[in-house]
Amino acid sequence: MENSPKRIYIIGPSGSGKTTLGKLFCEKLNIPHTSLDDIAYPDQIERPMDERLKHVAKLADQDKWLTEGIYVDWTKKLLERADLIIWLDLPYFTTLLRVVKRFFVHKIRGDEKYGIKNTLKFIWNLRKYYFPKPGFEMGHSDKTTTRIQTQRVLSEYGDKVERIRTSEELRKFLVIILSS
């Protein structure tokens, strides 16, 4: 896989499949994986912005990496350096059902680490991602990234953005990218 991307940024809301896709790519392409949640909220405690930016700059300077998250406001260096940006722009109800399913699967397995309160917060933020308040998309005043904001930021990166809107598009994309 000589022509495979070496710096990949996967972006999308909760339940879009970022982590699952990221692990697949890392295994197939032998590149290290970083969740942006681990940079933004290590041990579920919010990290100050200046520290986040230092971590992002250090990661962006590496030759090979895959990162995934919903963030577009403090990850510009990663977006600029990425060879490939995959935007998992799946329908609202698909992601909503996946978040709910993920909670119950982990609860049954006994490895659920966020609790019902945080899962409900994920669901609330998911609604705000897809259906922001009017005017919110022009500049956010809280910590929620919106779909409109993501589209606006990613429009700057042209051909290196692969927007995936359905599970079928994702399957076709994987066949192409993993066979190259």
Side-chain angles (χ1 to χ4, degrees):
M1 294 191 195
E2 292 176 20
N3 296 328
S4 297
K6 300 199 179 353
R7 292 178 303 274
I8 303 169
Y9 191 133
I10 302 172
I11 190 164
S14 293
S16 60
K18 299 179 301 291
T19 303
T20 302
L21 181 60
K23 287 178 181 178
L24 173 67
F25 267 87
C26 289
E27 183 179 305
K28 294 287 184 186
L29 302 176
N30 193 29
I31 55 179
H33 175 270
T34 301
S35 168
L36 291 172
D37 285 339
D38 292 341
I39 292 175
Y41 299 96
D43 300 317
Q44 298 183 25
I45 298 168
E46 185 173 4
R47 176 175 276 155
M49 186 59 68
D50 62 328
E51 290 182 32
R52 287 185 201 186
L53 294 173
K54 286 177 189 174
H55 281 274
V56 163
K58 184 177 177 182
L59 178 60
D61 285 341
Q62 295 176 11
D63 291 333
K64 292 170 39 171
W65 47 263
L66 181 140
T67 190
E68 45 91 2
I70 191 170
Y71 312 102
V72 293
D73 55 345
W74 50 271
T75 58
K76 185 172 180 145
K77 284 190 190 261
L78 293 170
L79 291 166
E80 289 171 349
R81 290 275 318 202
D83 302 318
L84 174 64
I85 301 168
I86 303 168
W87 179 16
L88 297 175
D89 187 24
L90 301 176
Y92 170 69
F93 285 108
T94 300
T95 57
L96 175 64
L97 290 174
R98 287 179 178 180
V99 168
V100 172
K101 178 183 172 186
R102 178 175 59 202
F103 172 77
F104 285 109
V105 165
H106 287 281
K107 193 74 171 163
I108 291 167
R109 283 194 325 217
D111 63 357
E112 202 287 313
K113 61 182 179 179
Y114 296 110
I116 189 67
K117 185 177 177 182
N118 277 336
T119 299
L120 292 173
K121 186 174 158 185
F122 289 149
I123 290 169
W124 180 252
N125 287 334
L126 192 61
R127 184 199 59 78
K128 292 194 308 186
Y129 173 83
Y130 285 97
F131 311 110
K133 293 177 185 172
F136 183 82
E137 63 277 359
M138 291 305 155
H140 56 284
S141 58
D142 67 10
K143 297 173 186 169
T144 304
T145 301
T146 69
R147 185 171 177 257
I148 294 166
Q149 176 190 15
T150 301
Q151 183 174 13
R152 188 182 70 243
V153 169
L154 294 183
S155 69
E156 299 174 29
Y157 298 98
D159 291 344
K160 68 179 182 178
V161 176
E162 184 68 39
R163 186 175 184 181
I164 308 289
R165 296 182 179 143
T166 66
S167 297
E168 182 60 28
E169 284 182 13
L170 179 57
R171 277 190 284 280
K172 289 177 182 177
F173 173 72
L174 286 173
V175 168
I176 293 166
I177 197 80
L178 294 177
S179 65
S180 61

